[in-house]
Amino acid sequence: MTSEAGAPATREGTWLGHPRQLFVCFTTEMWERFGFYGMKAILILYLTKHFLFDDGQAAGIYASYTALVYLTPLIGGLVADRYLGSRGAVKFGALLMLLGYYGLAFGGPQTQQFLEIDSGRYPIEIVDVGNDRTEQYVTINDQRLRIMPGTEGSILLKGGAGGAAADQAAPAGDTAAPAQVAAQDTVLAKGSYALPVERNQLYLYLMYLSLSLVIIGNGFFKPNISTMVGDLYAPGDGRRESGFYIFYIGINMGSVLGQVLLPNMRQTFGFDVAFAVAGVGMTLALLIAILNDRKLKGYGEPPNPALLTKNVLAGINVRWMIYILAFAALVPAWILVQQNELVGVLLAVFGFGSFIAMIVYAVLKCGPVERNRMIVAVVLSMSTIVFWSLFEQSGTTLTLFADRNTDREIMGWMMPADQVQFFNPLFVVTLAPLFAVFWTYLQRRGLEPSTPVKFSLGLVQVGLGFLLLVMAMKTADANGQVALIWLVGAYLLYTTGELCLSPVGLSMITKLSAPRVVGLMMGVWFLSSALGQYVVGLIGQRAAVTSVGGQVNPIEALAVYSQTFTEVGWFAVGFGIFMLIVSPLLKRGMHGVN
């Protein structure tokens, strides 16, 4: 801990042996993550079940949102370094995010989908049959038929009342002409029908605006709360890494609460209530930051407070100009979250351009030791693109896999598909202390793996998690369902991989970065996550399955997921082995930092 003058302070008033201000950062981040991860858990189902986007469209929107969420910290870190300071940026970001969550709570009516055959257009009725399941019906010529996805792009119109018992997928049998649709079972081949949707544009645009508020707000909040944690420790303070582990536990405690509570809120009360609960969590985070502002005095201060009061235009000072520009940035964010391909182009140009810029800065502005450390930090950050592109499948393909191909019934209770994600933060909370003790044990004996080795271990484990699910699919029953324990095992591997990489990465950035650009480098770290998030969407689009009213053929879905998970799993394992091979070279470039 340092005093306001920047000199080392005493350990009086510590919390768990760390600066007491760590508790403020811990609880602020915990409630912010409660809202962030809880909302993120239910988002893909919101897109596919409420707005009835198909898998490819939903994955594209999800990827644009999450990529921008991890891209904006690059700008937010720079603004905090140059103008606002970390503490002010955190509070402003929290305000924008809570507005976004409350905005999502106004989702409007369920999107209407139609079946079009010949020249007829028939509304599809979505019926909740309990246990987080729905059935779809269509009335044609006064006959109520159940509509179900078939194979090879066909759909089945099942005669009679249908019902929950008739939940087998349609076979690819003889195809009837659309005019012959009647009470008997009828298969409509791909191309003989259409399934258009009518979305309420007001609520759709409100959803995009709400996501944009979270995107901009997160840019101010996320890099700067982590930077503040690093500021609590003087250079060379051995508590820094364990402090980040404690902080990381706070992140995952909030994540556990959010990913347990919000899916249950969604299942019981609907999406609107669940998003409102996320807003409550974000409100708590903002209140904690405001009420403890005095305790954080001396940390995250503006670099030049006088500059913030300088008039820029028409009596508007620098501080308020930053706020105005942040709200103006909602317009491009609103556009980009709907344009997945454009987001990809911008990330490719801006993302890799930033990596190159930081390397050029290190070469031209830093001494030999600082230069090498900066280059290693950039290389390790870039390597995480592969990790996050697989790890973050939890919010897209893995949630849809849980919804469609996982038997989630536990003693008569059906676990919500989006709640399955909570296994990751639960494992983090339970295993992070063990990892911290384990690394310390190895460090004392001179056996602790270097940071590059830890990164390679993380990559291999996330790949093995997907290969484990491929094995699980070979045990699927006749309905394409696998046991929940397989998904739990995969999340365990994702978590152990994450604990080798993510908390170590946050600490690595603060230790290897030149002090004058540490906030910007924290943004570069999250920029790597942004690129990974975009790849999440590409993988999700590759794993897309045709749906009818949010329902798919589970057998076809299983085949698609098996192929996709095999490809990405082996790629991650291979890349992790490559990083292990080059780790000695990267370790030398760190010049003793670990």
Side-chain angles (χ1 to χ4, degrees), residues 30 109 193 204 222 226 233 251 254 325 342 360 416 425 528 586:
M30 182 185 75
Y193 67 91
L204 181 64
K222 187 58 181 172
S226 299
Y233 302 92
I251 291 174
L325 291 175
L342 180 56
V360 171
S528 300
L586 295 174

Side-chain angles (χ1 to χ4, degrees), residues 235-418:
D237 191 330
R239 299 174 296 165
R240 178 186 295 264
E241 188 154 321
S242 61
F244 270 101
Y245 265 106
I246 293 173
F247 179 68
Y248 207 64
I249 291 172
I251 291 174
N252 286 278
M253 285 179 63
S255 183
V256 167
L257 290 173
Q259 293 182 2
V260 168
L261 184 60
L262 264 66
N264 276 305
M265 292 291 100
R266 173 198 63 78
Q267 187 179 51
T268 306
F269 302 107
F271 286 104
D272 291 355
V273 171
F275 286 127
V277 172
V280 171
M282 195 68 244
T283 302
L284 290 174
L286 178 59
L287 288 175
I288 291 169
I290 292 173
L291 295 177
N292 290 279
D293 196 59
R294 293 181 61 186
K295 291 182 180 179
L296 291 168
K297 188 174 178 59
Y299 300 99
E301 299 287 353
N304 185 357
L307 178 61
L308 290 175
T309 61
K310 181 180 177 181
N311 287 335
V312 178
L313 179 67
I316 302 173
N317 61 30
V318 171
R319 183 189 300 275
W320 278 100
M321 182 58 70
I322 291 171
Y323 297 156
I324 292 171
L325 291 175
F327 277 99
L330 292 173
V331 175
W334 183 84
I335 295 171
L336 287 172
V337 79
Q338 305 173 58
Q339 302 292 330
N340 182 247
E341 292 184 0
L342 180 56
V343 171
V345 172
L346 292 176
L347 281 174
V349 174
F350 184 63
F352 288 103
S354 297
F355 293 138
I356 294 171
M358 295 311 300
I359 292 175
V360 171
Y361 175 86
V363 172
L364 298 180
K365 300 291 186 179
C366 301
V369 172
E370 201 173 55
R371 177 195 65 213
N372 292 343
R373 288 174 175 172
M374 285 277 291
I375 291 174
V376 170
V378 171
V379 170
L380 290 177
S381 295
M382 292 177 67
S383 74
T384 63
I385 296 172
V386 175
F387 179 85
W388 295 121
S389 68
L390 271 68
F391 180 85
E392 293 292 348
Q393 292 297 318
S394 60
T396 53
T397 56
L398 291 177
T399 295
L400 295 176
F401 176 78
D403 183 54
R404 299 161 175 173
N405 294 105
T406 303
D407 180 1
R408 307 184 314 279
E409 186 172 348
I410 304 173
M411 299 178 65
W413 171 69
M414 182 67 72
M415 173 182 283
D418 37 358

Side-chain angles (χ1 to χ4, degrees), residues 147-169:
I147 180 171
M148 304 171 65
T151 59
E152 300 177 359
S154 67
I155 60 173
L156 170 69
L157 297 178
K158 195 168 185 63
D167 57 3
Q168 294 292 328

Side-chain angles (χ1 to χ4, degrees), residues 491-507:
Y491 272 107
L492 177 60
L493 283 168
Y494 303 150
T495 302
T496 54
E498 180 188 10
L499 289 173
C500 288
L501 185 147
S502 190
V504 175
L506 291 173
S507 180

Side-chain angles (χ1 to χ4, degrees), residues 183-259:
Q184 75 273 13
D185 294 355
T186 304
V187 177
L188 301 180
K190 181 179 181 180
S192 66
Y193 67 91
L195 296 168
V197 297
E198 288 185 359
R199 301 184 181 92
N200 186 301
Q201 294 301 300
L202 174 63
Y203 291 105
L204 181 64
Y205 291 154
L206 177 60
M207 184 266 288
Y208 290 136
L209 175 61
S210 300
L211 293 179
S212 300
L213 282 162
V214 179
I215 288 166
I216 302 300
N218 185 77
F220 283 95
F221 187 98
K222 187 58 181 172
N224 295 303
I225 190 73
S226 299
T227 299
M228 285 181 65
V229 173
D231 287 344
L232 300 180
Y233 302 92
D237 191 330
R239 299 174 296 165
R240 178 186 295 264
E241 188 154 321
S242 61
F244 270 101
Y245 265 106
I246 293 173
F247 179 68
Y248 207 64
I249 291 172
I251 291 174
N252 286 278
M253 285 179 63
S255 183
V256 167
L257 290 173
Q259 293 182 2

Side-chain angles (χ1 to χ4, degrees), residues 134-147:
T134 60
E135 292 178 352
Q136 290 69 31
Y137 293 89
V138 63
T139 300
I140 302 176
N141 299 328
D142 296 326
Q143 307 233 17
R144 189 168 185 259
L145 310 172
R146 185 175 176 193
I147 180 171

